[in-house]
Amino acid sequence: MAGEAQADCLFCKIIAGEVPATVVRETDTTYAFRDINPQAPTHVLVIPKVHYADAATLAAAEPQITADLLREAGEVAAEEKLESYRLVFNTGSGAGQTVFHAHAHILGGRGMQWPPG
Ligand code: 5GP
Ligand code: ZN
């Protein structure tokens, strides 16, 4: 069913505690943990506890949880004392998405270029 945990999903396994992660925040609907391969001094992923393949699919099905996710991204940035940060939703393999469970990347602690690569 829509939103249910997927047995073959890495991020569902992290939520279930089956794969270890360095958790920075948790709410009823979201989970935030450090990226295993950080691309900036601060690199945290915020994910919904429900499984949807990407941010747009999540937003279509669960607008409140999508709002929770964005608010949590702001809370993480505040806790990490990031004055500036980049919030990224890679969507589709051509854009670099490798894990098909919606997630926001919070990147900060260094200068950022635009346009991104
Ligand atoms: P994507 O490429 O889909 O936008 O982002 C997936 C992110 O998950 C990557 O930045 C990658 O480093 C991170 N990642 C992959 N496997 C693991 C893992 O086992 N633990 C953690 N904490 N992050 C992971
Ligand atoms: Zn999942």
Side-chain angles (χ1 to χ4, degrees):
M1 254 172 67
E4 281 188 4
Q6 302 291 302
D8 59 350
C9 172
L10 173 63
F11 287 175
C12 285
K13 289 179 182 166
I14 285 178
I15 294 162
E18 294 165 15
V19 171
T22 304
V23 178
V24 297
R25 283 182 64 87
E26 180 176 6
T27 69
D28 286 349
T29 57
T30 65
Y31 212 60
F33 54 94
R34 296 198 189 280
D35 196 292
I36 203 168
N37 183 23
Q39 301 301 310
T42 297
H43 188 171
V44 173
L45 302 174
V46 187
I47 67 175
K49 288 184 174 176
V50 288
H51 177 97
Y52 288 93
D54 57 43
T57 309
L58 173 71
E62 297 282 2
Q64 182 58 56
I65 295 175
T66 307
D68 295 346
L69 190 76
L70 291 175
R71 191 180 58 250
E72 273 301 292
E75 294 292 342
V76 169
E79 281 192 5
E80 298 284 324
K81 301 194 176 354
L82 301 177
E83 287 182 16
S84 300
Y85 59 94
R86 187 164 289 172
L87 203 55
V88 174
F89 292 92
N90 294 326
T91 303
S93 55
Q97 186 176 6
T98 58
V99 179
F100 289 83
H101 179 130
H103 54 279
H105 294 259
I106 302 162
L107 296 151
R110 64 166 170 81
M112 300 277 166
Q113 306 298 312
W114 193 262

PDB file of all heavy atoms in Angstrom, residues 3-28:
ATOM      1  N   GLY A   3       2.897   4.330   0.820  1.00  0.00           N
ATOM      2  CA  GLY A   3       3.516   4.806   2.038  1.00  0.00           C
ATOM      3  C   GLY A   3       4.073   3.725   2.947  1.00  0.00           C
ATOM      4  O   GLY A   3       4.786   4.032   3.894  1.00  0.00           O
ATOM      5  N   GLU A   4       3.761   2.457   2.668  1.00  0.00           N
ATOM      6  CA  GLU A   4       4.239   1.390   3.565  1.00  0.00           C
ATOM      7  C   GLU A   4       5.723   1.106   3.368  1.00  0.00           C
ATOM      8  O   GLU A   4       6.255   1.263   2.267  1.00  0.00           O
ATOM      9  CB  GLU A   4       3.445   0.098   3.320  1.00  0.00           C
ATOM     10  CG  GLU A   4       2.090   0.146   3.984  1.00  0.00           C
ATOM     11  CD  GLU A   4       1.357  -1.182   3.923  1.00  0.00           C
ATOM     12  OE1 GLU A   4       1.926  -2.173   3.430  1.00  0.00           O
ATOM     13  OE2 GLU A   4       0.205  -1.210   4.370  1.00  0.00           O
ATOM     14  N   ALA A   5       6.372   0.662   4.450  1.00  0.00           N
ATOM     15  CA  ALA A   5       7.795   0.341   4.395  1.00  0.00           C
ATOM     16  C   ALA A   5       8.059  -0.710   3.325  1.00  0.00           C
ATOM     17  O   ALA A   5       7.276  -1.645   3.149  1.00  0.00           O
ATOM     18  CB  ALA A   5       8.261  -0.152   5.756  1.00  0.00           C
ATOM     19  N   GLN A   6       9.168  -0.528   2.631  1.00  0.00           N
ATOM     20  CA  GLN A   6       9.555  -1.456   1.568  1.00  0.00           C
ATOM     21  C   GLN A   6      10.751  -2.276   2.054  1.00  0.00           C
ATOM     22  O   GLN A   6      11.758  -1.716   2.507  1.00  0.00           O
ATOM     23  CB  GLN A   6       9.953  -0.670   0.310  1.00  0.00           C
ATOM     24  CG  GLN A   6       8.856   0.239  -0.214  1.00  0.00           C
ATOM     25  CD  GLN A   6       7.694  -0.543  -0.792  1.00  0.00           C
ATOM     26  OE1 GLN A   6       7.866  -1.331  -1.720  1.00  0.00           O
ATOM     27  NE2 GLN A   6       6.508  -0.317  -0.248  1.00  0.00           N
ATOM     28  N   ALA A   7      10.650  -3.584   1.936  1.00  0.00           N
ATOM     29  CA  ALA A   7      11.682  -4.474   2.478  1.00  0.00           C
ATOM     30  C   ALA A   7      13.050  -4.235   1.840  1.00  0.00           C
ATOM     31  O   ALA A   7      14.082  -4.445   2.478  1.00  0.00           O
ATOM     32  CB  ALA A   7      11.258  -5.926   2.274  1.00  0.00           C
ATOM     33  N   ASP A   8      13.045  -3.788   0.591  1.00  0.00           N
ATOM     34  CA  ASP A   8      14.321  -3.623  -0.113  1.00  0.00           C
ATOM     35  C   ASP A   8      14.807  -2.176  -0.114  1.00  0.00           C
ATOM     36  O   ASP A   8      15.692  -1.824  -0.893  1.00  0.00           O
ATOM     37  CB  ASP A   8      14.183  -4.125  -1.556  1.00  0.00           C
ATOM     38  CG  ASP A   8      13.103  -3.372  -2.329  1.00  0.00           C
ATOM     39  OD1 ASP A   8      12.335  -2.601  -1.698  1.00  0.00           O
ATOM     40  OD2 ASP A   8      13.024  -3.537  -3.556  1.00  0.00           O
ATOM     41  N   CYS A   9      14.237  -1.333   0.759  1.00  0.00           N
ATOM     42  CA  CYS A   9      14.599   0.093   0.760  1.00  0.00           C
ATOM     43  C   CYS A   9      15.578   0.394   1.892  1.00  0.00           C
ATOM     44  O   CYS A   9      15.271   0.176   3.069  1.00  0.00           O
ATOM     45  CB  CYS A   9      13.341   0.953   0.902  1.00  0.00           C
ATOM     46  SG  CYS A   9      13.719   2.698   1.135  1.00  0.00           S
ATOM     47  N   LEU A  10      16.733   0.935   1.521  1.00  0.00           N
ATOM     48  CA  LEU A  10      17.766   1.247   2.516  1.00  0.00           C
ATOM     49  C   LEU A  10      17.246   2.205   3.588  1.00  0.00           C
ATOM     50  O   LEU A  10      17.509   2.014   4.786  1.00  0.00           O
ATOM     51  CB  LEU A  10      18.974   1.860   1.799  1.00  0.00           C
ATOM     52  CG  LEU A  10      20.085   2.391   2.689  1.00  0.00           C
ATOM     53  CD1 LEU A  10      20.723   1.273   3.502  1.00  0.00           C
ATOM     54  CD2 LEU A  10      21.126   3.128   1.858  1.00  0.00           C
ATOM     55  N   PHE A  11      16.517   3.246   3.191  1.00  0.00           N
ATOM     56  CA  PHE A  11      16.089   4.232   4.187  1.00  0.00           C
ATOM     57  C   PHE A  11      14.965   3.685   5.067  1.00  0.00           C
ATOM     58  O   PHE A  11      14.899   4.026   6.256  1.00  0.00           O
ATOM     59  CB  PHE A  11      15.693   5.544   3.513  1.00  0.00           C
ATOM     60  CG  PHE A  11      16.882   6.335   2.988  1.00  0.00           C
ATOM     61  CD1 PHE A  11      16.694   7.499   2.257  1.00  0.00           C
ATOM     62  CD2 PHE A  11      18.188   5.923   3.231  1.00  0.00           C
ATOM     63  CE1 PHE A  11      17.771   8.232   1.783  1.00  0.00           C
ATOM     64  CE2 PHE A  11      19.279   6.642   2.755  1.00  0.00           C
ATOM     65  CZ  PHE A  11      19.069   7.796   2.035  1.00  0.00           C
ATOM     66  N   CYS A  12      14.112   2.805   4.542  1.00  0.00           N
ATOM     67  CA  CYS A  12      13.144   2.124   5.418  1.00  0.00           C
ATOM     68  C   CYS A  12      13.889   1.279   6.454  1.00  0.00           C
ATOM     69  O   CYS A  12      13.476   1.213   7.626  1.00  0.00           O
ATOM     70  CB  CYS A  12      12.186   1.257   4.603  1.00  0.00           C
ATOM     71  SG  CYS A  12      10.922   2.187   3.696  1.00  0.00           S
ATOM     72  N   LYS A  13      14.998   0.679   6.045  1.00  0.00           N
ATOM     73  CA  LYS A  13      15.797  -0.131   6.997  1.00  0.00           C
ATOM     74  C   LYS A  13      16.440   0.759   8.051  1.00  0.00           C
ATOM     75  O   LYS A  13      16.556   0.366   9.219  1.00  0.00           O
ATOM     76  CB  LYS A  13      16.872  -0.928   6.246  1.00  0.00           C
ATOM     77  CG  LYS A  13      16.309  -2.071   5.418  1.00  0.00           C
ATOM     78  CD  LYS A  13      17.426  -2.803   4.682  1.00  0.00           C
ATOM     79  CE  LYS A  13      16.851  -3.912   3.816  1.00  0.00           C
ATOM     80  NZ  LYS A  13      17.847  -4.411   2.852  1.00  0.00           N
ATOM     81  N   ILE A  14      16.874   1.944   7.665  1.00  0.00           N
ATOM     82  CA  ILE A  14      17.455   2.873   8.650  1.00  0.00           C
ATOM     83  C   ILE A  14      16.383   3.282   9.657  1.00  0.00           C
ATOM     84  O   ILE A  14      16.619   3.293  10.869  1.00  0.00           O
ATOM     85  CB  ILE A  14      18.097   4.088   7.931  1.00  0.00           C
ATOM     86  CG1 ILE A  14      19.428   3.641   7.292  1.00  0.00           C
ATOM     87  CG2 ILE A  14      18.302   5.256   8.890  1.00  0.00           C
ATOM     88  CD1 ILE A  14      20.161   4.713   6.512  1.00  0.00           C
ATOM     89  N   ILE A  15      15.180   3.605   9.187  1.00  0.00           N
ATOM     90  CA  ILE A  15      14.089   3.974  10.097  1.00  0.00           C
ATOM     91  C   ILE A  15      13.786   2.829  11.063  1.00  0.00           C
ATOM     92  O   ILE A  15      13.548   3.048  12.256  1.00  0.00           O
ATOM     93  CB  ILE A  15      12.816   4.347   9.292  1.00  0.00           C
ATOM     94  CG1 ILE A  15      13.052   5.621   8.492  1.00  0.00           C
ATOM     95  CG2 ILE A  15      11.609   4.502  10.208  1.00  0.00           C
ATOM     96  CD1 ILE A  15      12.044   5.822   7.366  1.00  0.00           C
ATOM     97  N   ALA A  16      13.824   1.607  10.550  1.00  0.00           N
ATOM     98  CA  ALA A  16      13.511   0.428  11.376  1.00  0.00           C
ATOM     99  C   ALA A  16      14.650   0.052  12.314  1.00  0.00           C
ATOM    100  O   ALA A  16      14.492  -0.848  13.150  1.00  0.00           O
ATOM    101  CB  ALA A  16      13.177  -0.754  10.465  1.00  0.00           C
ATOM    102  N   GLY A  17      15.815   0.704  12.168  1.00  0.00           N
ATOM    103  CA  GLY A  17      16.959   0.382  13.014  1.00  0.00           C
ATOM    104  C   GLY A  17      17.733  -0.836  12.530  1.00  0.00           C
ATOM    105  O   GLY A  17      18.620  -1.330  13.216  1.00  0.00           O
ATOM    106  N   GLU A  18      17.405  -1.307  11.334  1.00  0.00           N
ATOM    107  CA  GLU A  18      18.090  -2.493  10.785  1.00  0.00           C
ATOM    108  C   GLU A  18      19.438  -2.138  10.172  1.00  0.00           C
ATOM    109  O   GLU A  18      20.297  -2.996  10.007  1.00  0.00           O
ATOM    110  CB  GLU A  18      17.194  -3.159   9.734  1.00  0.00           C
ATOM    111  CG  GLU A  18      15.927  -3.752  10.325  1.00  0.00           C
ATOM    112  CD  GLU A  18      14.864  -4.097   9.284  1.00  0.00           C
ATOM    113  OE1 GLU A  18      15.197  -4.150   8.083  1.00  0.00           O
ATOM    114  OE2 GLU A  18      13.707  -4.292   9.687  1.00  0.00           O
ATOM    115  N   VAL A  19      19.596  -0.878   9.779  1.00  0.00           N
ATOM    116  CA  VAL A  19      20.875  -0.351   9.283  1.00  0.00           C
ATOM    117  C   VAL A  19      21.215   0.830  10.188  1.00  0.00           C
ATOM    118  O   VAL A  19      20.373   1.717  10.380  1.00  0.00           O
ATOM    119  CB  VAL A  19      20.750   0.102   7.810  1.00  0.00           C
ATOM    120  CG1 VAL A  19      22.002   0.856   7.366  1.00  0.00           C
ATOM    121  CG2 VAL A  19      20.497  -1.096   6.901  1.00  0.00           C
ATOM    122  N   PRO A  20      22.419   0.845  10.770  1.00  0.00           N
ATOM    123  CA  PRO A  20      22.750   1.929  11.698  1.00  0.00           C
ATOM    124  C   PRO A  20      22.936   3.266  10.987  1.00  0.00           C
ATOM    125  O   PRO A  20      23.353   3.308   9.819  1.00  0.00           O
ATOM    126  CB  PRO A  20      24.064   1.459  12.342  1.00  0.00           C
ATOM    127  CG  PRO A  20      24.627   0.445  11.418  1.00  0.00           C
ATOM    128  CD  PRO A  20      23.488  -0.163  10.664  1.00  0.00           C
ATOM    129  N   ALA A  21      22.614   4.332  11.691  1.00  0.00           N
ATOM    130  CA  ALA A  21      22.815   5.680  11.159  1.00  0.00           C
ATOM    131  C   ALA A  21      23.028   6.617  12.342  1.00  0.00           C
ATOM    132  O   ALA A  21      22.620   6.313  13.471  1.00  0.00           O
ATOM    133  CB  ALA A  21      21.605   6.122  10.342  1.00  0.00           C
ATOM    134  N   THR A  22      23.688   7.739  12.062  1.00  0.00           N
ATOM    135  CA  THR A  22      23.889   8.757  13.097  1.00  0.00           C
ATOM    136  C   THR A  22      22.708   9.714  13.046  1.00  0.00           C
ATOM    137  O   THR A  22      22.633  10.602  12.198  1.00  0.00           O
ATOM    138  CB  THR A  22      25.216   9.508  12.858  1.00  0.00           C
ATOM    139  OG1 THR A  22      26.268   8.547  12.803  1.00  0.00           O
ATOM    140  CG2 THR A  22      25.489  10.505  13.979  1.00  0.00           C
ATOM    141  N   VAL A  23      21.773   9.508  13.963  1.00  0.00           N
ATOM    142  CA  VAL A  23      20.521  10.262  13.953  1.00  0.00           C
ATOM    143  C   VAL A  23      20.746  11.617  14.617  1.00  0.00           C
ATOM    144  O   VAL A  23      21.386  11.705  15.660  1.00  0.00           O
ATOM    145  CB  VAL A  23      19.423   9.474  14.690  1.00  0.00           C
ATOM    146  CG1 VAL A  23      18.117  10.259  14.738  1.00  0.00           C
ATOM    147  CG2 VAL A  23      19.215   8.131  14.018  1.00  0.00           C
ATOM    148  N   VAL A  24      20.226  12.667  13.990  1.00  0.00           N
ATOM    149  CA  VAL A  24      20.347  13.997  14.595  1.00  0.00           C
ATOM    150  C   VAL A  24      19.002  14.515  15.118  1.00  0.00           C
ATOM    151  O   VAL A  24      18.980  15.277  16.092  1.00  0.00           O
ATOM    152  CB  VAL A  24      21.010  15.024  13.648  1.00  0.00           C
ATOM    153  CG1 VAL A  24      22.436  14.611  13.321  1.00  0.00           C
ATOM    154  CG2 VAL A  24      20.223  15.234  12.378  1.00  0.00           C
ATOM    155  N   ARG A  25      17.911  14.122  14.503  1.00  0.00           N
ATOM    156  CA  ARG A  25      16.587  14.507  14.999  1.00  0.00           C
ATOM    157  C   ARG A  25      15.582  13.448  14.557  1.00  0.00           C
ATOM    158  O   ARG A  25      15.760  12.812  13.523  1.00  0.00           O
ATOM    159  CB  ARG A  25      16.132  15.868  14.412  1.00  0.00           C
ATOM    160  CG  ARG A  25      16.787  17.071  15.042  1.00  0.00           C
ATOM    161  CD  ARG A  25      16.247  18.365  14.428  1.00  0.00           C
ATOM    162  NE  ARG A  25      14.829  18.572  14.677  1.00  0.00           N
ATOM    163  CZ  ARG A  25      14.341  19.164  15.755  1.00  0.00           C
ATOM    164  NH1 ARG A  25      15.130  19.627  16.693  1.00  0.00           N
ATOM    165  NH2 ARG A  25      13.043  19.325  15.898  1.00  0.00           N
ATOM    166  N   GLU A  26      14.509  13.329  15.360  1.00  0.00           N
ATOM    167  CA  GLU A  26      13.418  12.429  14.979  1.00  0.00           C
ATOM    168  C   GLU A  26      12.109  13.054  15.437  1.00  0.00           C
ATOM    169  O   GLU A  26      12.044  13.644  16.524  1.00  0.00           O
ATOM    170  CB  GLU A  26      13.603  11.056  15.648  1.00  0.00           C
ATOM    171  CG  GLU A  26      12.491  10.070  15.284  1.00  0.00           C
ATOM    172  CD  GLU A  26      12.687   8.673  15.861  1.00  0.00           C
ATOM    173  OE1 GLU A  26      13.633   8.460  16.646  1.00  0.00           O
ATOM    174  OE2 GLU A  26      11.859   7.799  15.524  1.00  0.00           O
ATOM    175  N   THR A  27      11.084  12.960  14.605  1.00  0.00           N
ATOM    176  CA  THR A  27       9.734  13.357  14.998  1.00  0.00           C
ATOM    177  C   THR A  27       8.805  12.176  14.714  1.00  0.00           C
ATOM    178  O   THR A  27       9.255  11.128  14.226  1.00  0.00           O
ATOM    179  CB  THR A  27       9.237  14.586  14.206  1.00  0.00           C
ATOM    180  OG1 THR A  27       9.016  14.206  12.842  1.00  0.00           O
ATOM    181  CG2 THR A  27      10.240  15.742  14.265  1.00  0.00           C
ATOM    182  N   ASP A  28       7.520  12.363  14.968  1.00  0.00           N
ATOM    183  CA  ASP A  28       6.558  11.292  14.680  1.00  0.00           C
ATOM    184  C   ASP A  28       6.576  10.917  13.202  1.00  0.00           C
ATOM    185  O   ASP A  28       6.277   9.772  12.845  1.00  0.00           O
ATOM    186  CB  ASP A  28       5.138  11.743  15.042  1.00  0.00           C
ATOM    187  CG  ASP A  28       4.926  11.769  16.539  1.00  0.00           C
ATOM    188  OD1 ASP A  28       5.780  11.256  17.276  1.00  0.00           O
ATOM    189  OD2 ASP A  28       3.887  12.327  16.965  1.00  0.00           O
TER     190      ASP A  28
END
